[in-house]
Every structure is written in structure tokens, then in C-alpha cells.
Amino acid sequence: MSNKTTLKVGNQIVTIEGGELVGYQVSGHEFMHQKGNPGWRSVDTEMFPIIGPTNEAGFKVSTPKGDATQDQHGLLREMKYTVTGSTASKAVFTKKYSANTGVLNSKYPEKSTAEKLSWPYDFEFVKTFELKDNELVITFTISGDEGMPFMIGYHPAFMLHSKNPIISVGDKEISIDEVMAVGSRALQVPNTNVISLSDEKKLQISTEGFKHFMLWTEVPNMVCIEPITFYPYAVKQKNLADGFMHLTNKPSKFKVGLKPM
């Protein structure tokens, strides 16, 4: 059984592998970074329940239930999605976690001393792709223990086709050189829910629930435009808990729209 899911609406084709968005083509133009190209080994991932690195804090993050062992961007990325729904234009993927379950850390031992990651709360994380007439909407629905602290970030990588693509936020323009100059920290774009990437084609990225973006790349052929609830480099790693939101008794929803202009 293939783990590939394809959605089609009009001239748009979305390709998903194991819950990862590996292709978004509109009239034959590919917007997503492709695996194997320089820059990053993935195309998208989620940062949850934390965003940012933890190595300087001994891979520990403070929670109301004690310290949790977390590596960069959390443990969700180390878990596998299950397909829980699919139509021609919509696909639903789910990850379920039971409190204090050890999850093997793929960065161990080369890049981390934390062999297993864990979190002291139960949660369910649902990622829904829905292809509409003129945009792809990705929704993240989080439910779990009431009061659970968390942050969430979405980490998609976009292919760059032209020599001088521009990222714009309102009337501010950011070049890829400016993003590369910041290096591994990622460039913060605070307090906005709409950002545009003008390349050979233009793509608008809009969000609901997220507060900020951060931009990252180390190569000129791709860029990650990442909606985040908290910019982790604003605090020392031992104070990462300053960026937590908390679950209520109903699910928390976050949306990202990718809209070709």
C-alpha cells in the first residue's frame, strides 16, 4: 500500500506522502521544495509542542508537570501520521500521543544526547489538507489534556525558480540574501498573518491562530516561510516555557492558506 495521497481540483494537484506536503502544482508550476534538492531533506514538518532548539538547556523544557525531554522543534516530527480520512479534495492525518511515552530521537547520537523524547500530557494532533478552487488550506487541530502547555509552528519549504525572489509583508520587502544572512536562527517576521512570496509565480501565505512568521534558508533555491505562535530565539533556551499557550477544554485550531496569486 502506497503512503501517497493525491488531491486534485481544477488545475491544482497536491501530493502528500505520510502526511507531508511534497507537492503543490498549479498549472504545472511546482511551489514546494523537492526532496533531494539542496537545502533541506524534508518538504514540510510541524514544530510541536515546542519551537526552537533545546541543546543549551540540556534538552529539557519546563512544564507544570515537571521538565520534559525535548529536542529541537519537539517530538511530533518523530511520530508517524495515520490517514484518518480522504476524498478527491481533502485528506486528514492524525498523530496520537500518550503521556510520558518515549519517542526515539532521530538526532541521537550524532546531533543530540537525548536518545528518547517525552511529554507529560496526552494529545491528539490532526492535520487536514483541503484543496479549494483557488487555494490549499492546511488546518491543524490540537486536543488533549486541559491546561497542556504548547507552541505550534508549521515549517513548509518553497522552491525558488528565479534569481531574485522577494518576500513581502505589507510594504516591507525581504530578499533571500537577507534571510540567508541570519543563518540557522531564522529571521523573525512579527505580528502578521499574511506574507507573500514573489518568484516566477506569486504565492500568498495567510494564517489563523498563529501570531508570527520566521524565515529560514541556507541556499538560494528554496526558502522556509514558517507560521509560528512564538519566536523561540526571543528568550534563552532555559526560558522557552515563556512562549507556551495552553489547551482549553475544546480543540485549538490553526490554519495556513497557500494561495497562488
Side-chain angles (χ1 to χ4, degrees):
M1 180 185 144
S2 165
N3 70 343
K4 191 173 275 193
T5 306
T6 305
L7 309 180
K8 286 184 188 175
V9 170
N11 61 350
Q12 306 175 93
I13 301 172
V14 165
T15 310
I16 305 157
E17 282 180 5
E20 181 179 13
L21 175 64
V22 296
Y24 180 34
Q25 284 192 14
V26 181
S27 303
H29 178 91
E30 179 60 72
F31 283 103
M32 306 312 297
H33 168 67
Q34 297 296 287
K35 290 187 180 189
N37 287 358
W40 191 37
R41 62 188 167 88
S42 302
V43 186
D44 87 351
T45 192
E46 289 77 56
M47 304 178 271
F48 181 86
I50 63 148
I51 303 169
T54 55
N55 55 307
E56 291 169 14
F59 301 101
K60 298 290 184 193
V61 178
S62 168
T63 84
K65 290 189 176 180
D67 286 351
T69 305
Q70 295 286 300
D71 208 326
Q72 177 154 338
H73 299 333
L75 56 64
L76 189 81
R77 51 169 47 190
E78 302 288 6
M79 298 164 56
K80 282 191 163 49
Y81 276 112
T82 305
V83 184
T84 46
S86 183
T87 67
S89 62
K90 188 174 179 179
V92 185
F93 297 85
T94 302
K95 292 182 180 184
K96 280 188 179 176
Y97 179 78
S98 296
N100 302 310
T101 304
V103 174
L104 287 173
N105 183 10
S106 61
K107 294 189 172 205
Y108 174 87
E110 284 82 12
K111 294 181 179 176
S112 175
T113 56
E115 183 178 2
K116 287 185 176 179
L117 310 177
S118 64
W119 190 241
Y121 300 85
D122 294 335
F123 66 77
E124 180 179 78
F125 190 101
V126 180
K127 182 182 189 180
T128 304
F129 296 90
E130 187 167 13
L131 201 47
K132 311 217 167 166
D133 286 338
N134 59 350
E135 96 178 301
L136 171 62
V137 178
I138 305 152
T139 305
F140 306 100
T141 308
I142 301 161
S143 49
D145 293 340
E146 190 172 349
M148 181 184 100
F150 72 97
M151 42 192 102
I152 174 175
Y154 179 46
H155 193 313
F158 300 98
M159 189 190 295
L160 299 175
H161 298 260
S162 65
K163 279 272 192 287
N164 294 300
I166 290 291
I167 296 162
S168 41
V169 186
D171 53 10
K172 184 183 180 192
E173 295 192 338
I174 302 165
S175 70
I176 297 303
D177 285 347
E178 287 174 75
V179 178
M180 287 173 71
V182 179
S184 61
R185 277 174 75 90
L187 178 68
Q188 182 185 19
V189 183
N191 305 315
T192 186
N193 57 4
V194 181
I195 212 165
S196 297
L197 173 62
S198 300
D199 190 27
E200 255 173 35
K201 305 268 191 209
K202 186 171 180 180
L203 186 71
Q204 179 182 283
I205 298 130
S206 60
T207 68
E208 289 175 28
F210 297 94
K211 296 189 178 81
H212 321 286
F213 285 90
M214 59 185 186
L215 311 175
W216 173 79
T217 188
E218 293 174 358
V219 293
N221 59 280
M222 63 149 240
V223 65
C224 295
I225 299 176
E226 310 169 32
I228 51 173
T229 54
F230 178 71
Y231 180 66
Y233 304 101
V235 296
K236 288 198 164 103
Q237 289 185 16
K238 63 180 171 52
N239 299 327
L240 198 59
D242 292 358
F244 279 139
M245 315 170 65
H246 296 85
L247 279 182
T248 61
N249 58 3
K250 59 178 196 284
S252 287
K253 278 199 176 185
F254 301 83
K255 281 189 183 178
V256 178
L258 305 182
K259 187 173 189 176
M261 305 303 279

